[in-house]
Amino acid sequence: DAGVTQSPTHLIKTRGQQVTLRCSPKSGHDTVSWYQQALGQGPQFIFQYYEEEERQRGNFPDRFSGHQFPNYSSELNVNALLLGDSALYLCASSRQGSTDTQYFGPGTRLTVL
Amino acid sequence: EDQVTQSPEALRLQEGESSSLNCSYTVSGLRGLFWYRQDPGKGPEFLFTLYSAGEEKEKERLKATLTKKESFLHITAPKPEDSATYLCAVRPVMNTGFQKLVFGTGTRLLVSP
């Protein structure tokens, strides 16, 4: 049973560029959440997708957007990159429901120069 | 505002030296408290979910407990392979019915042989 997968593993961009990160959920999961983890910090919630719609959003600007596809996979897009966007971006999948556990992927390390 | 505080920030133990990590939280309604283990540069690995005060869960050398204000992760006779960052997260009750996790900054555990 494949777990949550993310691509790419690492990415280097320059300020002002745009980036797209990808996530495939664990088999049987229909909900995808994205988190940003700065060095030495805990993950911060960006948003959650279910049934191809954004359902919940954290305190992140509109430069952060996402998409969920019919096969439940998801993309995170970040426009107009800033140095402060450098972080580990984590995708977590779960089954929709108030008691289900979120399982995390390995993350994408984004470096903005 | 929902908040999670973990202590200590870092902990150094000798192999076999038992100890506890603390996670205190303030949340407007709790739908679960989660413990994850995170190795450097990797995604968090799920350990436990606790739902109500008095609940306890065990896995190998780890035992998690929950009260109304805090949770403890007890590590009995740790081994060097237990070295990692341990993250605590809460899932607040959301009016939308959808979920997010609020994380602490973690405790970095180093176990020396």
Side-chain angles (χ1 to χ4, degrees):
Chain A
D1 177 24
V4 180
T5 60
Q6 293 186 242
S7 63
T9 307
H10 295 90
L11 208 48
I12 299 175
K13 292 286 187 179
T14 56
R15 280 178 296 175
Q17 285 190 311
Q18 179 263 343
V19 69
T20 298
L21 311 182
R22 296 177 176 81
C23 170
S24 290
K26 190 175 163 68
S27 178
H29 287 186
D30 56 11
T31 301
V32 172
S33 304
W34 287 93
Y35 292 81
Q36 179 195 66
Q37 187 176 25
L39 208 58
Q41 300 297 312
Q44 298 288 315
F45 176 74
I46 303 175
F47 42 53
Q48 182 179 84
Y49 275 83
Y50 171 68
E51 290 188 331
E52 302 179 47
E53 289 189 21
E54 182 184 295
R55 301 292 182 165
Q56 197 79 37
R57 189 177 182 94
N59 285 334
F60 280 81
D62 292 345
R63 298 187 298 108
F64 290 78
S65 63
H67 190 78
Q68 186 180 33
F69 299 93
N71 67 352
Y72 308 119
S73 66
S74 177
E75 288 182 348
L76 164 66
N77 301 293
V78 187
N79 294 323
L81 285 167
L82 304 173
L83 295 180
D85 294 331
S86 295
L88 182 67
Y89 287 85
L90 296 163
C91 167
S93 76
S94 57
R95 288 169 298 193
Q96 182 51 37
S98 62
T99 60
D100 204 47
T101 296
Q102 293 187 14
Y103 292 88
F104 285 82
T108 294
R109 169 68 63 187
L110 173 65
T111 302
V112 182
L113 302 176
Chain B
E1 185 180 338
D2 303 318
Q3 196 166 352
V4 176
T5 303
Q6 292 188 245
S7 62
E9 288 186 10
L11 181 62
R12 194 167 212 155
L13 299 174
Q14 288 294 120
E15 184 172 2
E17 181 187 1
S18 301
S19 188
S20 296
L21 313 183
N22 177 263
C23 169
S24 62
Y25 62 90
T26 54
V27 65
S28 51
L30 183 69
R31 277 207 195 281
L33 183 140
F34 300 80
W35 284 97
Y36 289 87
R37 170 196 167 122
Q38 186 174 30
D39 292 305
K42 304 212 173 160
E45 174 189 346
F46 171 70
L47 293 173
F48 303 110
T49 308
L50 302 165
Y51 290 105
S52 55
E55 191 175 356
E56 298 183 353
K57 293 267 179 79
E58 279 189 73
K59 179 180 178 179
E60 296 180 358
R61 295 177 293 282
L62 301 176
K63 179 180 175 180
T65 62
L66 180 64
T67 72
K68 286 187 177 179
K69 294 293 184 187
E70 57 191 352
S71 176
F72 292 93
L73 184 66
H74 307 277
I75 304 178
T76 302
K79 298 182 177 182
E81 53 261 41
D82 294 323
S83 298
T85 295
Y86 290 85
L87 294 167
C88 172
V90 296
R91 179 165 58 200
V93 171
M94 307 292 291
N95 291 336
T96 60
F98 290 91
Q99 50 171 296
K100 70 174 186 181
L101 295 178
V102 178
F103 280 87
T105 54
T107 293
R108 285 179 284 110
L109 174 66
L110 178 62
V111 182
S112 303

